[in-house]
Amino acid sequence: MTSRVVATAGHVDHGKSTLVRALTGMEPDRLAEERRRGLTIDLGFAWTTLPSGTDLAIVDVPGHERFVTTMLAGAGPVPAVLVVVAADEGWMPQSAEHLDALDALGVEHGLLVVTRCDLLDPEVAREDALAEIRRSTLGEVGVVEVCATRGEGLDALRTALDGLVGALPEPDPEADVRLWVDRAFTIKGAGTVVTGTLGAGTIRVGDELELRGRRVHVRGLQSLGEPVEVARGVARVAVNLRGVPREAVARGDALLTPESWIAPAEFDVALRGVRGGEPGALPSEVVLHAGSAAVAGRVRPLGPGFVRLRPERPLPLRIGDRVVLRDPGRRAVVAGAGVLDVRPPALRRRGAAARRAAELAEPGAGTGAVELRRRGQVRAAELLAMGVPPASVEDARPAVRADGWLLSPGRAREAVSSLAAAVRAHDAAEALDPGLPIEAARRAAQLPTPGLVAALLAAVPAGERAAAPELRDGRVHLGRERGLPERVRTALEALRADLTADPFRAPEAARLAELGLGARELAALVRAGELVAVADGVVLLPDAPERAVELLRGAGDSFTLSEARQVLGTTRRVAVPLLEHLARTGRTVRVDDRAHRLR
C-alpha cells in the first residue's frame, strides 16, 4: 500500500494540532505538558487513510518562535507541507518564519489550510497568505477552508491531500538509506527505538546500518503503529536497534547505508535568498539545519553567492541537498544553501577562494563529467557517495576506467607524460635494465593501482601510440627500441657470429669476459630476448631450443644424454642444462633414468 508523509507549518495557536486531531482521530501532542497548556512544544505524529487508500502520516510541528529548531527537525526531511493560517488572526510572524524555512529548504509541494473559518470570513487571511506563499518555492498552492472543531471542510481537505501526495515524485526504493532521527527513546523489553521520516530507500528487519560511524542492527520495524518486516520511503518509521544504548543516539543523528555516505568536515554551497530576495552577508557563525540536525557552523565566504561551511560536527550530506542557515543572534532564517561539493579542495593560496567561487559557478556541478574533471582521478564509489547520480557516473566518459577508479582525459594525458619521463630517466640510469616495472611506473605516475597503468596505456589514442610508453612483459617501455648500450650490442654481434657458426657451443667464461659480457649484461640480453639462458653462464641464441628439437628428431624414438650431445655437437656443460630446459618447456619427457624422448 502507498504511504506518504506531510508536515504542518504555521504560527502558534493557529489550530495545527486541532486540525491533525480532527483529520486522524489521534492525539498528536504526546507530552502531558502539551495537553495541559494546549501548546505543542515537540514534534507530534499521527496518521490516517485518504480516500484513495493512501496511508498518510502527518508530522505536527510546534508554532512558537522558541521551537523553530524543533519545527525544522520535523519538516526538514518531509517532501510536502500543510501551511496552516487561522482566519481570525491571519498571517503572523511565525507564519512568515516557517515559510522562510520551507523556502530555504526548497519545499515545492504544499496546501494552504485556513482554519477557524467559523470565527471570521477567511477571505483576507486566505489572500494575504497566498500572496506570501506565492513568493516562495511553494508557488501556487491549493486552498482548503475548514472549521476543524465542527468537522467542516475536512472531506474537501482529504480530497485535496490525495491530490497533493499523488503529485509527489516517486521515491527510489533502491536508494541509499538516510533516516534522520527526530526521536529516540527506550521501550522496556525492546531497547532503544528511533523514529524518522524515510525519504527513499528500503529498511528491512535484520539490516546492518551505520550510526555515528559504528555498525548497528535493525531488531524490529514499525510503520504507522504496526510491526513490519520491510519499510520503504516515503514513510514514517520506528526502528528498534539491537544493542544500542539510549544515550548513544539523539535527534539530528542519521541511520545510514554503511560505507555509502560522506560526512564532510566542511562543504561548499550556493546561497539562495529567502523568498526571492538576495542572500545578504552572512554572520561568521550560523545555525545550520539539515534533516533533523541543527548544529553551529562557521562561514567562510568564497565569492558572491558561494560560501564554505564548517559544521561543529560532520553531517552526512550529498550534492543537491538543501540546508537552512539561521542567524543565532537575530533568530531568523537568513538563507537557504544548496550543497555543491562535499569533498572541496583546500584553499591555501592567495585568491583561492575567489577562484573556487568561479569554479562553483560553472554549469554542471554534480554531474559525473564535471566532478571527474575537477578531481582528475576519483573512485566511482566516492562519486556515488558524494551524490553524483549513478547514470551520470557511467556517462562520465573518462579516458580511463579500471579497478573502480576513473581518470579524466586531462589527468590521463598528464599520467602518460609522467610515465614517459620516468621510463626515459630510468633507462638512462639503468641502460642494462630497460623498462620500468609496473609498480614503479604506478608510483611515478601517482596512480592508485597497477591496473590503472595497464588501462592508461591501452587507452592511448592510436595516433599517439608511437611516441607513448607501452606495457610489455610486466614493464613499461618507451618505444620498441630496447635501449641497450652500444658496447653491449657490439658484443652481442660478436657472440651471435660465434653461435651462428656453432649453435650449441655456448661461450666459455673466458670468451664472455673477453667480450665484456658479465652477469648483468647477459641478464639484460636475456630480458631483451636476444639470448636464452639454459643455466647460469650458459647462453644460446633464442632459436637454439627449436633447432635442438629438429636435430634430435633424427636420434630415434628415444636418446640418451651422450647421444644428444653427439647429435648437437656440444659438451656435457651445455647438453645437460639444454635437455633440462627442453623438459621444463614441455618439448621432451624422460623415459627412464637414462633416456629421453620428444613429445
Side-chain angles (χ1 to χ4, degrees):
M1 183 171 291
T2 303
S3 175
R4 292 290 185 264
V5 182
V6 300
T8 62
H11 193 74
V12 61
D13 199 30
H14 272 210
K16 296 185 294 297
S17 297
T18 301
L19 179 67
V20 173
R21 197 177 298 118
L23 267 176
T24 66
M26 301 176 67
E27 176 56 67
D29 289 338
R30 299 176 295 104
L31 306 179
E33 182 183 358
E34 291 179 315
R35 293 191 290 273
R36 179 175 56 81
R37 295 170 59 184
L39 175 71
T40 300
I41 59 178
D42 203 352
L43 299 176
F45 310 98
W47 53 88
T48 188
T49 300
L50 296 176
S52 66
T54 297
D55 286 331
L56 179 68
I58 303 174
V59 181
D60 187 32
V61 307
H64 198 283
E65 64 176 344
R66 288 180 296 165
F67 304 121
V68 172
T69 294
T70 304
M71 174 267 175
L72 279 164
V78 177
V81 65
L82 301 181
V83 180
V84 179
V85 177
D88 58 331
E89 292 194 13
W91 194 254
M92 297 289 282
Q94 287 311 112
S95 307
E97 184 165 14
H98 281 202
L99 183 60
D100 287 347
L102 296 171
D103 182 73
L105 284 169
V107 178
E108 297 179 343
H109 303 274
L111 279 175
L112 170 62
V113 183
V114 183
T115 59
R116 303 210 289 252
C117 292
D118 57 323
L119 300 182
L120 194 69
D121 188 309
E123 180 180 4
V124 173
R126 180 188 67 228
E127 295 308 314
D128 286 348
L130 286 175
E132 297 287 342
I133 293 171
R134 197 172 288 122
R135 294 168 45 221
S136 75
T137 53
L138 287 168
E140 298 291 342
V141 298
V143 185
V144 182
E145 299 167 358
V146 303
C147 175
T149 56
R150 297 181 180 180
E152 295 172 1
L154 293 183
D155 287 342
L157 178 55
R158 289 188 179 94
T159 299
L161 283 168
D162 249 338
L164 173 65
V165 299
L168 294 175
E170 199 65 30
D172 179 6
E174 302 302 320
D176 294 326
V177 168
R178 179 178 57 182
L179 180 71
W180 291 101
V181 174
D182 51 37
R183 287 181 64 207
F185 51 91
T186 301
I187 294 180
K188 188 174 181 180
T192 299
V193 175
V194 301
T195 68
T197 299
L198 180 64
T202 302
I203 301 177
R204 295 176 172 83
V205 173
D207 276 358
E208 183 179 66
L209 297 173
E210 192 173 285
L211 174 68
R212 293 189 180 184
R214 60 173 285 196
R215 297 297 177 90
V216 297
H217 290 84
V218 177
R219 180 180 182 181
L221 283 172
Q222 279 195 359
S223 183
L224 306 186
E226 296 293 329
V228 295
E229 289 295 313
V230 180
R232 296 183 176 86
V234 174
R236 285 293 305 174
V237 295
V239 186
N240 183 198
L241 299 175
R242 180 182 293 117
V244 178
R246 165 64 188 85
E247 59 273 15
V249 59
R251 176 177 289 171
D253 289 334
L255 286 174
L256 308 169
T257 299
E259 299 181 2
S260 297
W261 292 86
I262 293 171
E266 57 184 12
F267 54 96
D268 291 345
V269 301
L271 298 177
R272 180 181 178 278
V274 176
R275 286 196 273 165
E278 288 295 321
L282 298 181
S284 60
E285 293 190 3
V286 295
V287 178
L288 189 157
H289 298 265
S292 62
V295 300
R298 295 193 64 82
V299 177
R300 176 171 182 174
L302 299 175
F306 300 98
V307 300
R308 178 163 293 183
L309 298 173
R310 176 177 281 272
E312 65 178 1
R313 65 178 174 87
L315 299 171
L317 297 173
R318 285 184 171 175
I319 294 169
D321 282 341
R322 297 296 297 267
V323 298
V324 177
L325 305 181
R326 295 180 70 233
D327 184 338
R330 292 191 290 139
R331 295 185 178 180
V333 174
V334 290
V339 178
L340 295 180
D341 197 340
V342 294
R343 280 278 194 255
L347 303 175
R348 297 190 179 95
R349 297 183 178 179
R350 185 179 181 87
R355 288 191 295 272
R356 179 61 175 160
E359 185 179 63
L360 292 171
E362 295 174 0
T367 63
V370 169
E371 298 307 322
L372 175 60
R373 175 174 56 78
R374 287 179 179 175
R375 287 162 176 77
Q377 65 187 43
V378 64
R379 289 185 301 115
E382 184 167 7
L383 286 179
L384 295 174
M386 288 166 52
V388 178
S392 185
V393 173
E394 290 300 316
D395 292 342
R397 303 190 185 282
V400 178
R401 185 188 297 258
D403 298 335
W405 285 83
L406 293 84
L407 298 187
S408 70
R411 175 70 181 98
R413 287 190 295 271
E414 175 189 280
V416 169
S417 296
S418 297
L419 277 177
V423 173
R424 197 175 293 113
H426 172 271
D427 287 359
E430 298 288 342
L432 294 177
D433 187 24
L436 205 57
I438 194 165
E439 176 58 24
R442 180 197 69 77
R443 293 194 300 268
Q446 297 183 332
L447 296 173
T449 71
L452 272 172
V453 176
L456 175 71
L457 297 179
V460 173
E464 301 174 14
R465 287 182 183 169
E470 61 182 15
L471 185 62
R472 299 194 303 272
D473 303 323
R475 299 172 76 89
V476 178
H477 295 273
L478 196 55
R480 287 289 174 184
E481 176 59 43
R482 300 294 182 176
L484 293 170
E486 187 61 33
R487 66 175 182 82
V488 176
R489 291 205 161 272
T490 300
L492 173 62
E493 292 306 315
L495 184 57
R496 186 179 287 130
D498 292 350
L499 290 171
T500 300
D502 205 342
F504 303 104
R505 185 71 65 174
E508 299 281 351
R511 175 59 173 161
L512 292 174
E514 178 188 336
L515 294 173
L517 296 175
R520 294 185 69 235
E521 287 80 6
L522 289 177
L525 289 169
V526 170
R527 281 196 301 270
E530 303 290 359
L531 297 175
V532 61
V534 296
D536 286 345
V538 181
V539 294
L540 301 170
L541 293 179
D543 63 348
E546 294 302 328
R547 293 181 67 178
V549 168
E550 291 302 318
L551 291 173
L552 290 171
R553 290 191 192 281
D557 293 337
S558 63
F559 49 87
T560 64
L561 171 61
S562 177
E563 290 168 338
R565 183 171 57 79
Q566 291 174 12
V567 168
L568 299 175
T570 189
T571 63
R572 183 182 179 85
R573 182 179 74 91
V574 176
V576 170
L578 179 56
L579 288 179
E580 291 174 350
H581 177 82
L582 294 178
R584 284 196 308 271
T585 55
R587 296 174 171 94
T588 65
V589 295
R590 295 294 294 263
V591 176
D592 52 34
D593 290 343
R594 298 179 65 249
H596 308 255
R597 67 174 173 81
L598 296 172
R599 281 189 180 275

